[in-house]
Amino acid sequence: MAACSIEDVLAKAEQDEAEKIKSITVQKELDLEFDIGNLVAYDKNRIDIRQFREQKKDDFLRSLARDNTQLLINEIWKHPTERVEEVIVVKLPEPTTALPREKPPPKPRPPTKWEEFAKLKGIQKKKKTNLVWDDVAKNELHRLRNIARAQKIKVPGVGLTPTAQQSKTDLVRAVNVAKVSTASAGKFQDRLPKEKAPRNTGKKRKFQPVIGNFSNEKQRQLDLLKVMDSKKPRLDVNKAVNKQMREDDREESAAKFRKGAKKGRKGGNFSGKGKGGGGKGKGKGRAGGKGQGPPGGKKGAGKLGKR
């Protein structure tokens, strides 16, 4: 009695195990249609209504889904496979069924000004360089700094490094660099009450727009060609007037200098009175003032010749 009950239990356990692990072979009247690219199988076989009514609906649908899934998996493994990182994968073919979209396709992005300009001028995008960041150079810089610290040497820095005695120019330059290091390039930085505007910082170049009204560009090109084709040189009135004024000032200064030089040469001969032995006489001599003449001189006026 006990042996029979044990046999029944074992038989039931085997039956339950067989139900759980069914064969991979499934028999169908009509073969299924597969779309392996979308992992879809179409079953066109007729459903047995009597069997559907006799069994529970959930059990019947579960058994039907299991058989069709098994056939789909069998069809998948008929395609070529490959090993990727210790995993075997199947190369799926292209899908054959066009599935509808859930949402409308996105609108194409409008081209930017640069893209319009590049298309107009025929500029093609260049490939990026193959240069990569070299971590070895960075490590070498750290190594040299460590050696400098170990030997108690001043560690070299990069950029505006502090020094023992900084001049006014260095401080101004450091302040200007710090101001333009913001995200807005110093556009919204406040100035001190008596701070002067930075010098020698360069001016931002202004370029004409490359996209938009081409009539202005056309007119500039025509004016340039007109200047190049004209035989007569183009005269800049302001520049010519300034040049003439500078030449006039230069000639006037040179004339004043020559006139002053002539006066200096004439002023070298001074008039003076000279005394002779036994009489007085007036005469022009090199030495201005009174002086004694030779003995036995006579009164009279005498002129010395010029050099």
Side-chain angles (χ1 to χ4, degrees):
M1 196 73 177
C4 293
S5 62
I6 292 174
E7 290 177 356
D8 294 339
V9 170
L10 293 175
K12 188 177 180 181
E14 290 178 358
Q15 184 178 1
D16 295 340
E17 189 68 22
E19 288 291 334
K20 292 181 180 179
I21 307 175
K22 291 185 178 180
S23 174
I24 62 173
T25 304
V26 180
Q27 300 294 333
K28 291 278 186 178
E29 293 182 2
L30 300 176
D31 294 336
L32 275 64
E33 296 181 1
F34 299 99
D35 182 6
I36 303 301
N38 289 322
L39 299 178
V40 177
Y42 301 96
D43 187 3
K44 295 184 178 180
N45 290 284
R46 187 176 54 180
I47 297 176
D48 190 354
I49 302 298
R50 184 180 298 178
Q51 188 178 4
F52 177 72
R53 291 176 179 176
E54 290 178 356
Q55 294 182 2
K56 293 182 180 180
K57 296 180 180 179
D58 293 341
D59 294 340
F60 178 80
L61 295 176
R62 188 180 296 109
S63 176
L64 183 62
R66 183 263 165 198
D67 293 341
N68 290 338
T69 304
Q70 183 63 55
L71 291 174
L72 178 62
I73 293 174
N74 295 343
E75 189 68 20
I76 289 174
W77 286 108
K78 292 180 182 179
H79 290 78
T81 60
E82 62 179 356
R83 182 179 295 274
V84 178
E85 296 181 359
E86 304 299 329
V87 178
I88 298 176
V89 296
V90 178
K91 293 182 179 180
L92 299 179
E94 294 293 329
T96 58
T97 305
L99 300 178
R101 292 178 60 91
E102 180 184 359
K103 297 179 181 180
K107 296 180 180 180
R109 179 180 60 83
T112 60
K113 290 185 177 181
W114 167 250
E115 292 175 349
E116 292 180 358
F117 175 74
K119 185 178 180 181
L120 181 65
K121 300 294 184 180
I123 301 174
Q124 296 181 356
K125 187 177 181 181
K126 296 182 180 179
K127 293 183 180 180
K128 293 184 178 180
T129 179
N130 295 327
L131 298 177
V132 295
W133 174 256
D134 188 6
D135 293 331
V136 180
K138 185 177 180 181
N139 294 334
E140 182 68 15
L141 177 61
H142 289 312
R143 187 182 71 84
L144 295 176
R145 286 184 175 178
N146 293 334
I147 293 174
R149 289 194 190 97
Q151 297 181 358
K152 296 181 180 181
I153 303 174
K154 291 185 178 179
V155 181
V158 180
L160 296 172
T161 56
T163 57
Q165 292 182 354
Q166 290 184 337
S167 62
K168 182 179 179 181
T169 305
D170 295 338
L171 294 176
V172 171
R173 185 160 61 95
V175 170
N176 293 335
V177 170
K179 283 190 173 182
V180 298
S181 299
T182 59
S184 60
K187 184 177 181 181
F188 304 102
Q189 289 294 110
D190 297 332
R191 290 187 179 180
L192 298 175
K194 295 183 180 180
E195 183 181 1
K196 296 181 180 180
R199 297 181 180 179
N200 301 327
T201 56
K203 295 183 180 180
K204 187 175 182 181
R205 297 178 61 187
K206 294 183 180 180
F207 299 94
Q208 298 294 335
V210 295
I211 297 297
N213 187 9
F214 291 98
S215 59
N216 296 334
E217 183 178 359
K218 180 180 178 181
Q219 187 62 34
R220 288 195 301 271
Q221 299 295 337
L222 291 176
D223 294 341
L224 180 60
L225 290 175
K226 189 183 297 183
V227 173
M228 294 173 64
D229 291 339
S230 62
K231 296 182 180 179
K232 296 181 180 179
R234 188 176 179 181
L235 178 62
D236 190 349
V237 179
N238 294 332
K239 190 174 181 180
V241 170
N242 293 333
K243 185 176 180 181
Q244 185 63 33
M245 291 175 63
R246 287 195 297 270
E247 289 181 357
D248 294 344
D249 293 341
R250 205 176 291 117
E251 291 178 358
E252 186 178 355
S253 300
K256 287 182 178 179
F257 179 76
R258 288 193 297 269
K259 190 175 181 181
K262 289 180 179 180
K263 286 183 178 180
R265 293 194 194 100
K266 290 181 180 179
N269 301 326
F270 296 98
S271 59
K273 297 180 180 179
K275 286 185 178 181
K280 291 183 180 180
K282 292 182 179 180
K284 293 183 178 180
R286 293 184 183 177
K290 296 182 179 180
Q292 292 183 353
K298 297 183 179 177
K299 291 182 180 181
K303 260 187 180 180
L304 293 176
K306 294 184 178 179
R307 292 181 182 178

